[in-house]
Amino acid sequence: LIDDNKDIFLTLINSINFKFPKLVQKIIDLVCMLSTKNEEYFREVMRWLIQRFHNSKKEIDQDKLNQIITYLCNSIKPEKVFMEFATIF
């Protein structure tokens, strides 16, 4: 799944426009739904998301970042999200 669809999911993540919270939520939900089927893919997706947040520092404030983390935690177990964050940092 990762190798075959990597471009699609990178495009989805890179297309996140932080000015449109509903769209952000839908993209996060979709990516999380697909990534929970494969642990390796989940880790890769989390790395891509964190990289996207890092590259978008100017357009994303703390409130938007908190909202995205909430979307992640609503789509996936919060413990899993934060454990993955901890392994990346």
Side-chain angles (χ1 to χ4, degrees):
L1 181 67
I2 293 174
D3 295 332
D4 294 339
N5 298 308
K6 186 175 183 175
D7 290 339
I8 294 169
F9 296 109
L10 277 173
T11 300
L12 273 174
I13 290 169
N14 288 327
S15 72
I16 293 174
N17 184 334
F18 299 107
K19 295 177 185 176
F20 301 101
K22 283 288 189 191
L23 183 58
V24 172
Q25 181 178 5
K26 295 297 181 189
I27 291 172
I28 296 291
D29 288 345
L30 176 62
V31 169
C32 288
M33 179 186 68
L34 295 169
S35 69
T36 57
K37 305 294 182 195
N38 181 309
E39 197 67 30
E40 180 184 333
Y41 180 67
F42 172 73
R43 288 194 173 100
E44 192 70 24
V45 165
M46 294 302 282
R47 282 189 203 99
W48 293 336
L49 284 170
I50 290 172
Q51 185 64 42
R52 175 72 168 102
F53 302 153
H54 178 74
N55 292 341
S56 302
K57 286 186 235 180
K58 292 181 182 176
E59 61 182 286
I60 186 169
D61 61 23
Q62 190 62 43
D63 290 336
K64 289 178 185 174
L65 187 58
N66 288 342
Q67 189 65 44
I68 292 168
I69 292 171
T70 300
Y71 296 153
L72 285 167
C73 291
N74 288 335
S75 295
I76 304 171
K77 291 180 184 178
E79 299 85 11
K80 189 171 182 176
V81 171
F82 287 102
M83 289 299 291
E84 196 58 39
F85 280 174
T87 63
I88 294 170
F89 291 109

Coordinates of all heavy atoms in Angstrom, one line a residue:
L1 N 0.8 -1.2 0.0 CA 0.0 0.0 0.0 C 0.9 1.3 0.0 O 0.6 2.2 -0.8 CB -0.9 0.0 1.2 CG -1.9 1.2 1.3 CD1 -2.9 1.1 0.2 CD2 -2.6 1.2 2.7
I2 N 1.9 1.3 0.8 CA 2.7 2.5 0.9 C 3.4 2.8 -0.4 O 3.3 3.9 -0.9 CB 3.8 2.3 2.0 CG1 3.1 2.3 3.4 CG2 4.7 3.5 2.0 CD1 4.1 2.0 4.5
D3 N 4.1 1.8 -1.0 CA 4.8 2.0 -2.2 C 3.9 2.4 -3.4 O 4.2 3.2 -4.2 CB 5.7 0.8 -2.5 CG 6.8 0.6 -1.5 OD1 7.2 1.6 -0.9 OD2 7.2 -0.6 -1.3
D4 N 2.8 1.7 -3.5 CA 1.9 1.9 -4.6 C 1.2 3.2 -4.5 O 0.9 3.8 -5.6 CB 0.9 0.7 -4.7 CG 1.5 -0.6 -5.0 OD1 2.6 -0.6 -5.5 OD2 0.9 -1.6 -4.7
N5 N 0.8 3.7 -3.4 CA 0.0 4.8 -3.2 C 0.7 6.0 -2.5 O 0.0 7.0 -2.1 CB -1.3 4.5 -2.5 CG -2.1 3.5 -3.2 OD1 -2.4 3.7 -4.4 ND2 -2.4 2.4 -2.6
K6 N 2.0 5.9 -2.4 CA 2.7 7.0 -1.7 C 2.5 8.3 -2.2 O 2.2 9.3 -1.5 CB 4.2 6.6 -1.7 CG 5.1 7.5 -0.9 CD 6.5 7.1 -0.9 CE 7.3 7.9 0.0 NZ 8.7 7.4 0.2
D7 N 2.5 8.5 -3.5 CA 2.2 9.8 -4.1 C 0.9 10.3 -3.8 O 0.7 11.5 -3.6 CB 2.4 9.7 -5.7 CG 3.9 9.5 -6.1 OD1 4.8 9.8 -5.3 OD2 4.1 9.1 -7.2
I8 N -0.1 9.5 -3.8 CA -1.5 9.9 -3.5 C -1.6 10.5 -2.1 O -2.1 11.5 -1.9 CB -2.5 8.8 -3.7 CG1 -2.6 8.3 -5.2 CG2 -3.9 9.1 -3.2 CD1 -3.3 7.1 -5.4
F9 N -1.0 9.7 -1.1 CA -1.1 10.2 0.2 C -0.2 11.4 0.6 O -0.6 12.2 1.3 CB -0.9 9.0 1.2 CG -2.0 8.0 1.0 CD1 -1.7 6.8 0.4 CD2 -3.3 8.2 1.4 CE1 -2.7 5.8 0.2 CE2 -4.3 7.3 1.1 CZ -4.0 6.1 0.6
L10 N 0.9 11.4 -0.1 CA 1.7 12.6 0.1 C 1.0 13.8 -0.5 O 1.1 14.9 0.1 CB 3.1 12.4 -0.6 CG 4.1 11.7 0.2 CD1 5.4 11.4 -0.6 CD2 4.5 12.4 1.5
T11 N 0.4 13.6 -1.6 CA -0.4 14.7 -2.2 C -1.5 15.2 -1.3 O -1.7 16.4 -1.1 CB -1.0 14.3 -3.6 OG1 0.1 13.9 -4.4 CG2 -1.8 15.4 -4.2
L12 N -2.2 14.2 -0.7 CA -3.3 14.6 0.2 C -2.7 15.4 1.4 O -3.3 16.4 1.8 CB -4.0 13.3 0.8 CG -5.1 12.7 0.0 CD1 -5.5 11.4 0.6 CD2 -6.3 13.7 -0.1
I13 N -1.7 14.9 2.0 CA -1.1 15.6 3.2 C -0.6 17.0 2.8 O -0.8 17.9 3.5 CB 0.0 14.7 3.8 CG1 -0.6 13.5 4.5 CG2 0.8 15.5 4.8 CD1 0.3 12.4 4.9
N14 N 0.1 17.0 1.6 CA 0.6 18.3 1.2 C -0.4 19.3 0.7 O -0.2 20.5 0.7 CB 1.7 18.1 0.1 CG 2.9 17.5 0.6 OD1 3.3 17.8 1.7 ND2 3.6 16.7 -0.2
S15 N -1.6 18.8 0.4 CA -2.7 19.7 0.0 C -3.5 20.3 1.2 O -4.4 21.1 0.9 CB -3.6 18.9 -0.9 OG -4.4 18.0 -0.2
I16 N -3.2 19.9 2.4 CA -3.9 20.4 3.5 C -3.7 21.9 3.5 O -2.6 22.5 3.5 CB -3.3 19.8 4.8 CG1 -3.7 18.4 4.9 CG2 -3.9 20.6 6.0 CD1 -3.0 17.7 6.1
N17 N -4.9 22.6 3.5 CA -4.9 24.1 3.6 C -5.5 24.4 5.0 O -6.6 24.2 5.2 CB -5.8 24.6 2.5 CG -5.8 26.1 2.5 OD1 -5.5 26.8 3.5 ND2 -6.0 26.7 1.3
F18 N -4.6 24.9 5.8 CA -5.0 25.2 7.2 C -6.0 26.2 7.4 O -6.5 26.4 8.5 CB -3.7 25.5 8.0 CG -2.7 24.4 8.0 CD1 -1.5 24.5 7.2 CD2 -2.9 23.2 8.7 CE1 -0.6 23.4 7.2 CE2 -2.0 22.1 8.6 CZ -0.9 22.3 7.9
K19 N -6.4 26.9 6.3 CA -7.5 27.9 6.4 C -8.9 27.3 6.4 O -9.8 28.0 6.6 CB -7.3 28.9 5.3 CG -6.1 29.7 5.4 CD -5.9 30.7 4.2 CE -4.6 31.4 4.2 NZ -4.4 32.2 3.1
F20 N -8.9 26.0 6.0 CA -10.2 25.3 5.9 C -10.3 24.1 6.8 O -10.0 23.0 6.5 CB -10.4 24.9 4.5 CG -10.4 26.0 3.5 CD1 -9.3 26.3 2.7 CD2 -11.5 26.9 3.4 CE1 -9.2 27.3 1.8 CE2 -11.5 27.9 2.5 CZ -10.3 28.2 1.7
P21 N -10.7 24.4 8.1 CA -10.7 23.3 9.1 C -11.4 22.0 8.7 O -11.0 20.9 9.0 CB -11.3 23.9 10.3 CG -11.2 25.4 10.1 CD -11.2 25.6 8.6
K22 N -12.6 22.2 8.1 CA -13.4 21.0 7.7 C -12.6 20.1 6.7 O -12.6 18.9 6.8 CB -14.7 21.4 7.1 CG -15.7 21.8 8.1 CD -16.2 20.6 8.9 CE -17.3 21.0 9.8 NZ -17.6 20.0 10.7
L23 N -11.9 20.8 5.7 CA -11.1 20.0 4.8 C -10.0 19.4 5.4 O -9.7 18.2 5.2 CB -10.7 21.0 3.7 CG -9.9 20.3 2.5 CD1 -10.7 19.3 1.8 CD2 -9.4 21.4 1.6
V24 N -9.3 20.0 6.4 CA -8.2 19.5 7.1 C -8.7 18.2 7.8 O -8.1 17.1 7.8 CB -7.6 20.5 8.1 CG1 -6.6 19.8 9.0 CG2 -7.0 21.6 7.4
Q25 N -9.9 18.3 8.5 CA -10.4 17.2 9.2 C -10.7 16.0 8.3 O -10.4 14.9 8.6 CB -11.7 17.6 9.9 CG -12.3 16.5 10.8 CD -13.5 16.9 11.5 OE1 -14.0 18.0 11.4 NE2 -14.0 16.0 12.3
K26 N -11.3 16.3 7.1 CA -11.6 15.2 6.2 C -10.3 14.5 5.7 O -10.3 13.3 5.6 CB -12.4 15.7 5.0 CG -13.8 16.2 5.4 CD -14.6 15.1 6.0 CE -16.0 15.6 6.3 NZ -16.8 14.7 7.1
I27 N -9.3 15.3 5.4 CA -8.0 14.7 4.9 C -7.4 13.9 6.0 O -7.0 12.7 5.8 CB -7.1 15.8 4.4 CG1 -7.6 16.4 3.1 CG2 -5.7 15.2 4.2 CD1 -6.8 17.6 2.6
I28 N -7.4 14.4 7.3 CA -6.8 13.7 8.4 C -7.6 12.4 8.6 O -7.0 11.3 8.8 CB -6.8 14.6 9.7 CG1 -5.9 15.8 9.5 CG2 -6.4 13.7 10.9 CD1 -4.4 15.5 9.4
D29 N -8.9 12.5 8.6 CA -9.7 11.3 8.8 C -9.4 10.2 7.8 O -9.3 9.0 8.1 CB -11.2 11.6 8.7 CG -11.7 12.4 10.0 OD1 -11.0 12.4 11.0 OD2 -12.8 13.0 9.9
L30 N -9.3 10.6 6.5 CA -9.1 9.7 5.4 C -7.7 9.0 5.6 O -7.6 7.8 5.5 CB -9.2 10.4 4.1 CG -8.8 9.5 2.8 CD1 -9.8 8.3 2.7 CD2 -8.8 10.3 1.6
V31 N -6.7 9.8 5.8 CA -5.3 9.3 5.9 C -5.2 8.4 7.1 O -4.6 7.3 7.1 CB -4.3 10.5 6.0 CG1 -3.0 10.0 6.4 CG2 -4.3 11.2 4.7
C32 N -5.9 8.8 8.2 CA -5.8 7.9 9.4 C -6.6 6.6 9.2 O -6.1 5.6 9.6 CB -6.5 8.7 10.6 SG -5.4 10.0 11.3
M33 N -7.7 6.7 8.6 CA -8.5 5.5 8.3 C -7.6 4.5 7.5 O -7.6 3.3 7.8 CB -9.7 5.8 7.5 CG -10.6 4.6 7.2 SD -12.0 4.9 6.1 CE -11.2 5.4 4.6
L34 N -6.9 4.9 6.5 CA -6.1 4.1 5.7 C -4.9 3.6 6.4 O -4.4 2.5 6.2 CB -5.8 4.8 4.4 CG -7.0 5.1 3.5 CD1 -6.6 6.0 2.3 CD2 -7.6 3.8 2.9
S35 N -4.3 4.5 7.2 CA -3.0 4.1 7.8 C -3.2 3.2 9.0 O -2.3 2.5 9.3 CB -2.3 5.4 8.3 OG -3.0 6.0 9.4
T36 N -4.4 3.1 9.6 CA -4.6 2.2 10.7 C -4.6 0.7 10.3 O -4.4 -0.2 11.1 CB -5.9 2.5 11.5 OG1 -7.0 2.4 10.6 CG2 -5.8 3.8 12.1
K37 N -4.7 0.5 9.0 CA -4.7 -0.9 8.4 C -3.3 -1.5 8.4 O -3.1 -2.7 8.2 CB -5.3 -0.9 7.0 CG -6.7 -0.3 6.9 CD -7.7 -1.2 7.7 CE -9.0 -0.6 7.6 NZ -10.0 -1.1 8.5
N38 N -2.3 -0.6 8.5 CA -0.9 -1.1 8.3 C 0.0 -0.2 9.2 O 0.1 1.0 9.1 CB -0.5 -0.9 6.8 CG 0.9 -1.4 6.6 OD1 1.9 -1.0 7.2 ND2 1.0 -2.2 5.5
E39 N 0.7 -0.9 10.2 CA 1.5 -0.2 11.2 C 2.6 0.6 10.6 O 2.9 1.7 10.9 CB 2.0 -1.2 12.2 CG 2.5 -0.6 13.5 CD 1.4 0.1 14.3 OE1 0.3 -0.4 14.3 OE2 1.8 1.1 15.0
E40 N 3.3 0.0 9.6 CA 4.4 0.6 8.9 C 3.9 1.9 8.2 O 4.5 3.0 8.3 CB 5.1 -0.3 7.9 CG 6.2 0.3 7.1 CD 6.8 -0.6 6.1 OE1 6.6 -1.8 6.2 OE2 7.3 -0.1 5.1
Y41 N 2.8 1.8 7.6 CA 2.2 2.9 6.9 C 1.8 4.0 7.9 O 2.0 5.2 7.6 CB 1.0 2.5 6.1 CG 0.3 3.6 5.3 CD1 1.0 4.3 4.3 CD2 -0.9 4.1 5.7 CE1 0.4 5.3 3.6 CE2 -1.5 5.2 5.0 CZ -0.8 5.8 4.0 OH -1.4 6.8 3.4
F42 N 1.2 3.6 9.0 CA 0.9 4.6 10.0 C 2.1 5.4 10.5 O 2.0 6.6 10.5 CB 0.3 3.9 11.3 CG 0.0 4.8 12.4 CD1 -1.0 5.7 12.4 CD2 0.9 4.7 13.5 CE1 -1.2 6.6 13.5 CE2 0.6 5.6 14.6 CZ -0.4 6.5 14.6
R43 N 3.2 4.8 10.7 CA 4.4 5.5 11.1 C 4.9 6.5 10.0 O 5.3 7.6 10.3 CB 5.5 4.5 11.4 CG 5.3 3.8 12.7 CD 6.5 3.0 13.2 NE 6.2 2.5 14.5 CZ 5.9 1.3 14.7 NH1 5.8 0.4 13.7 NH2 5.6 0.9 16.0
E44 N 4.8 6.0 8.8 CA 5.2 6.9 7.6 C 4.3 8.1 7.5 O 4.7 9.2 7.3 CB 5.2 6.1 6.4 CG 5.8 6.7 5.2 CD 7.3 6.9 5.3 OE1 8.0 6.1 6.0 OE2 7.9 7.8 4.7
V45 N 3.0 7.9 7.7 CA 2.0 9.0 7.6 C 2.3 10.0 8.7 O 2.2 11.2 8.5 CB 0.6 8.4 7.7 CG1 -0.4 9.5 8.0 CG2 0.2 7.7 6.4
M46 N 2.5 9.5 9.9 CA 2.8 10.4 11.0 C 4.1 11.2 10.7 O 4.1 12.4 11.0 CB 3.0 9.6 12.3 CG 1.7 9.0 12.8 SD 0.3 10.1 13.0 CE 0.7 10.8 14.6
R47 N 5.1 10.6 10.2 CA 6.3 11.4 9.8 C 6.0 12.5 8.8 O 6.4 13.6 8.9 CB 7.4 10.5 9.3 CG 8.1 9.7 10.4 CD 9.3 9.0 9.8 NE 9.6 7.9 10.7 CZ 9.2 6.6 10.5 NH1 8.6 6.2 9.5 NH2 9.5 5.7 11.4
W48 N 5.2 12.1 7.8 CA 4.8 13.0 6.7 C 4.0 14.2 7.3 O 4.2 15.4 6.9 CB 4.0 12.4 5.6 CG 4.7 11.4 4.8 CD1 6.0 11.3 4.6 CD2 4.1 10.3 4.1 NE1 6.3 10.2 3.8 CE2 5.1 9.6 3.4 CE3 2.8 9.8 3.9 CZ2 4.9 8.5 2.7 CZ3 2.6 8.7 3.1 CH2 3.6 8.0 2.5
L49 N 3.1 13.9 8.2 CA 2.3 14.9 8.8 C 3.1 15.9 9.6 O 3.0 17.1 9.5 CB 1.2 14.3 9.7 CG 0.0 13.7 9.0 CD1 -0.9 13.0 10.0 CD2 -0.8 14.8 8.3
I50 N 4.0 15.3 10.4 CA 4.9 16.2 11.2 C 5.8 17.0 10.4 O 6.0 18.2 10.6 CB 5.7 15.3 12.2 CG1 4.8 14.8 13.3 CG2 6.8 16.2 12.9 CD1 5.4 13.8 14.2
Q51 N 6.3 16.5 9.3 CA 7.1 17.2 8.3 C 6.2 18.4 7.7 O 6.7 19.5 7.6 CB 7.6 16.3 7.3 CG 8.6 17.0 6.3 CD 9.8 17.5 7.0 OE1 10.4 16.8 7.9 NE2 10.3 18.7 6.7
R52 N 5.0 18.1 7.4 CA 4.1 19.1 6.8 C 3.9 20.2 7.8 O 3.9 21.4 7.5 CB 2.8 18.4 6.4 CG 1.7 19.4 5.9 CD 2.1 19.9 4.5 NE 0.9 20.6 4.0 CZ 0.8 21.9 4.0 NH1 1.7 22.7 4.4 NH2 -0.3 22.4 3.5
F53 N 3.6 19.9 9.1 CA 3.5 20.9 10.1 C 4.7 21.7 10.2 O 4.6 23.0 10.3 CB 3.1 20.3 11.5 CG 1.9 19.4 11.5 CD1 1.8 18.4 12.4 CD2 0.9 19.6 10.6 CE1 0.7 17.6 12.5 CE2 -0.3 18.8 10.6 CZ -0.4 17.8 11.6
H54 N 5.8 21.1 10.2 CA 7.1 21.8 10.4 C 7.3 22.8 9.2 O 7.7 23.9 9.4 CB 8.3 20.8 10.5 CG 9.6 21.5 10.6 ND1 10.0 22.1 11.7 CD2 10.6 21.6 9.6 CE1 11.2 22.6 11.5 NE2 11.6 22.3 10.2
N55 N 7.0 22.3 8.0 CA 7.2 23.2 6.8 C 6.2 24.3 6.7 O 6.4 25.2 5.9 CB 7.1 22.3 5.5 CG 8.3 21.3 5.4 OD1 9.3 21.5 6.1 ND2 8.1 20.3 4.6
S56 N 5.1 24.2 7.5 CA 4.0 25.2 7.4 C 4.0 26.1 8.7 O 2.9 26.6 9.0 CB 2.7 24.5 7.3 OG 2.7 23.6 6.1
K57 N 5.1 26.3 9.3 CA 5.1 27.0 10.6 C 4.5 28.4 10.4 O 3.8 28.9 11.3 CB 6.5 27.2 11.1 CG 7.1 26.0 11.7 CD 8.4 26.3 12.3 CE 9.5 25.4 11.7 NZ 10.8 25.6 12.3
K58 N 4.6 29.0 9.3 CA 4.1 30.4 9.1 C 2.6 30.4 8.9 O 2.0 31.4 9.2 CB 4.8 31.0 7.9 CG 6.2 31.3 8.1 CD 6.9 32.0 6.9 CE 8.4 32.2 7.2 NZ 9.1 32.7 6.1
E59 N 2.0 29.3 8.4 CA 0.6 29.4 8.2 C -0.2 28.6 9.2 O -1.4 28.6 9.2 CB 0.3 28.8 6.8 CG 0.7 27.4 6.5 CD 0.4 26.9 5.1 OE1 -0.8 26.7 4.8 OE2 1.4 26.8 4.3
I60 N 0.5 28.0 10.2 CA -0.3 27.2 11.2 C 0.1 27.7 12.6 O 1.3 27.7 12.9 CB 0.0 25.7 11.0 CG1 -0.8 24.9 12.0 CG2 1.5 25.4 11.2 CD1 -0.8 23.4 11.7
D61 N -0.9 28.1 13.3 CA -0.6 28.6 14.7 C -0.9 27.5 15.7 O -1.4 26.4 15.3 CB -1.4 29.8 15.0 CG -2.9 29.6 14.9 OD1 -3.4 28.5 15.0 OD2 -3.6 30.6 14.7
Q62 N -0.7 27.7 16.9 CA -0.9 26.7 17.9 C -2.3 26.2 18.0 O -2.5 25.0 18.2 CB -0.4 27.2 19.3 CG -0.3 26.1 20.4 CD 0.7 25.1 20.1 OE1 1.8 25.3 19.6 NE2 0.3 23.8 20.3
D63 N -3.3 27.0 17.8 CA -4.7 26.6 17.9 C -5.0 25.6 16.8 O -5.7 24.6 17.0 CB -5.6 27.8 17.8 CG -5.6 28.7 19.1 OD1 -5.2 28.1 20.1 OD2 -6.0 29.9 19.0
K64 N -4.5 25.9 15.6 CA -4.7 25.0 14.4 C -4.0 23.7 14.6 O -4.6 22.6 14.3 CB -4.3 25.7 13.1 CG -5.1 26.8 12.7 CD -4.6 27.5 11.4 CE -5.4 28.7 11.1 NZ -4.8 29.4 9.9
L65 N -2.8 23.7 15.2 CA -2.1 22.5 15.4 C -2.8 21.7 16.5 O -3.0 20.5 16.3 CB -0.7 22.8 15.9 CG 0.3 21.7 16.0 CD1 0.4 20.9 14.7 CD2 1.6 22.1 16.5
N66 N -3.3 22.3 17.5 CA -4.1 21.6 18.5 C -5.3 21.0 17.9 O -5.7 19.8 18.3 CB -4.5 22.5 19.7 CG -3.3 22.9 20.5 OD1 -2.3 22.3 20.5 ND2 -3.5 24.0 21.3
Q67 N -6.0 21.7 17.0 CA -7.2 21.1 16.4 C -6.8 19.9 15.6 O -7.5 18.9 15.6 CB -7.8 22.2 15.5 CG -9.2 21.8 15.0 CD -10.2 21.6 16.1 OE1 -10.3 22.4 17.0 NE2 -11.0 20.5 16.0
I68 N -5.7 19.9 14.9 CA -5.3 18.8 14.0 C -5.0 17.6 14.9 O -5.3 16.5 14.6 CB -4.1 19.2 13.1 CG1 -4.6 20.2 12.1 CG2 -3.5 18.0 12.5 CD1 -3.5 20.9 11.3
I69 N -4.3 17.9 16.0 CA -4.0 16.8 17.0 C -5.3 16.2 17.5 O -5.4 15.0 17.7 CB -3.0 17.2 18.1 CG1 -1.7 17.5 17.4 CG2 -2.9 16.2 19.2 CD1 -0.7 18.2 18.4
T70 N -6.3 17.0 17.8 CA -7.6 16.5 18.2 C -8.2 15.6 17.1 O -8.7 14.6 17.4 CB -8.5 17.7 18.5 OG1 -7.9 18.4 19.6 CG2 -9.9 17.2 19.0
Y71 N -8.1 16.1 15.9 CA -8.6 15.2 14.8 C -7.9 13.9 14.7 O -8.6 12.8 14.6 CB -8.4 15.9 13.4 CG -9.1 17.2 13.2 CD1 -8.6 18.1 12.3 CD2 -10.3 17.5 13.8 CE1 -9.3 19.3 12.0 CE2 -11.0 18.7 13.6 CZ -10.4 19.6 12.7 OH -11.1 20.8 12.4
L72 N -6.6 13.9 14.9 CA -5.9 12.7 14.9 C -6.3 11.8 16.0 O -6.5 10.6 15.8 CB -4.4 12.9 15.0 CG -3.6 13.5 13.8 CD1 -2.2 14.0 14.2 CD2 -3.5 12.4 12.8
C73 N -6.5 12.3 17.2 CA -6.8 11.6 18.4 C -8.3 11.0 18.3 O -8.6 10.0 18.9 CB -6.6 12.4 19.7 SG -4.9 12.7 20.0
N74 N -9.1 11.7 17.5 CA -10.5 11.3 17.3 C -10.5 10.1 16.3 O -11.5 9.3 16.3 CB -11.4 12.4 16.9 CG -11.7 13.3 18.0 OD1 -11.7 13.0 19.2 ND2 -12.0 14.6 17.7
S75 N -9.6 10.1 15.4 CA -9.5 9.1 14.4 C -8.8 7.8 14.8 O -9.0 6.7 14.3 CB -8.9 9.6 13.1 OG -9.6 10.7 12.6
I76 N -7.8 8.0 15.7 CA -6.9 7.0 16.1 C -6.9 7.1 17.7 O -7.1 8.1 18.2 CB -5.5 7.1 15.6 CG1 -5.6 7.2 14.0 CG2 -4.6 6.0 16.0 CD1 -4.2 7.5 13.4
K77 N -6.5 6.0 18.3 CA -6.4 6.1 19.8 C -5.4 7.2 20.2 O -4.3 7.2 19.6 CB -5.9 4.8 20.4 CG -7.0 3.7 20.3 CD -6.4 2.4 20.8 CE -7.4 1.3 20.7 NZ -6.8 0.0 21.2
P78 N -5.7 8.1 21.1 CA -4.8 9.1 21.5 C -3.4 8.6 21.9 O -2.4 9.2 21.6 CB -5.5 9.8 22.6 CG -6.9 9.5 22.4 CD -7.0 8.2 21.8
E79 N -3.4 7.5 22.6 CA -2.2 6.9 23.1 C -1.2 6.6 21.9 O 0.0 6.8 22.0 CB -2.4 5.7 23.9 CG -3.2 5.9 25.2 CD -4.7 5.8 25.0 OE1 -5.2 5.4 23.9 OE2 -5.4 6.2 25.9
K80 N -1.9 6.0 20.9 CA -1.1 5.6 19.7 C -0.5 6.9 19.0 O 0.7 6.9 18.6 CB -2.0 4.9 18.7 CG -1.2 4.2 17.6 CD -2.1 3.3 16.8 CE -1.3 2.6 15.7 NZ -2.1 1.7 15.0
V81 N -1.3 7.9 18.9 CA -0.8 9.2 18.3 C 0.4 9.7 19.1 O 1.4 10.0 18.5 CB -1.9 10.2 18.2 CG1 -1.4 11.6 17.8 CG2 -3.1 9.8 17.3
F82 N 0.3 9.8 20.4 CA 1.3 10.4 21.2 C 2.5 9.5 21.3 O 3.7 10.0 21.3 CB 0.8 10.9 22.5 CG 0.0 12.1 22.4 CD1 -1.4 12.0 22.5 CD2 0.5 13.4 22.2 CE1 -2.2 13.2 22.4 CE2 -0.3 14.5 22.1 CZ -1.6 14.4 22.1
M83 N 2.3 8.2 21.3 CA 3.5 7.3 21.3 C 4.3 7.4 20.0 O 5.5 7.4 20.0 CB 3.0 5.9 21.5 CG 2.5 5.6 22.9 SD 3.8 5.8 24.2 CE 4.9 4.5 23.8
E84 N 3.6 7.6 18.9 CA 4.2 7.8 17.6 C 5.0 9.1 17.5 O 6.1 9.2 17.1 CB 3.3 7.6 16.4 CG 3.9 7.4 15.1 CD 4.8 6.2 15.1 OE1 4.5 5.1 15.7 OE2 5.9 6.3 14.5
F85 N 4.3 10.2 18.1 CA 5.0 11.5 18.1 C 6.3 11.3 18.9 O 7.4 11.8 18.6 CB 4.2 12.5 18.8 CG 3.1 13.1 17.9 CD1 2.2 14.0 18.5 CD2 3.1 12.9 16.6 CE1 1.2 14.6 17.7 CE2 2.1 13.5 15.8 CZ 1.2 14.4 16.3
A86 N 6.2 10.6 20.0 CA 7.4 10.4 20.9 C 8.6 9.7 20.2 O 9.7 10.0 20.4 CB 7.0 9.7 22.2
T87 N 8.2 8.7 19.4 CA 9.3 8.0 18.7 C 9.9 8.8 17.5 O 11.0 8.6 17.2 CB 8.8 6.6 18.1 OG1 7.8 6.9 17.1 CG2 8.2 5.7 19.1
I88 N 9.1 9.7 17.0 CA 9.6 10.6 15.9 C 10.5 11.7 16.5 O 11.6 12.0 15.9 CB 8.5 11.2 15.1 CG1 7.8 10.0 14.3 CG2 9.0 12.2 14.1 CD1 6.5 10.4 13.7
F89 N 10.2 12.2 17.6 CA 11.0 13.3 18.2 C 12.0 12.7 19.0 O 12.7 12.7 19.6 CB 10.1 14.3 19.0 CG 9.2 15.1 18.2 CD1 7.8 14.8 18.2 CD2 9.7 16.0 17.3 CE1 7.0 15.6 17.4 CE2 8.8 16.8 16.5 CZ 7.4 16.6 16.6

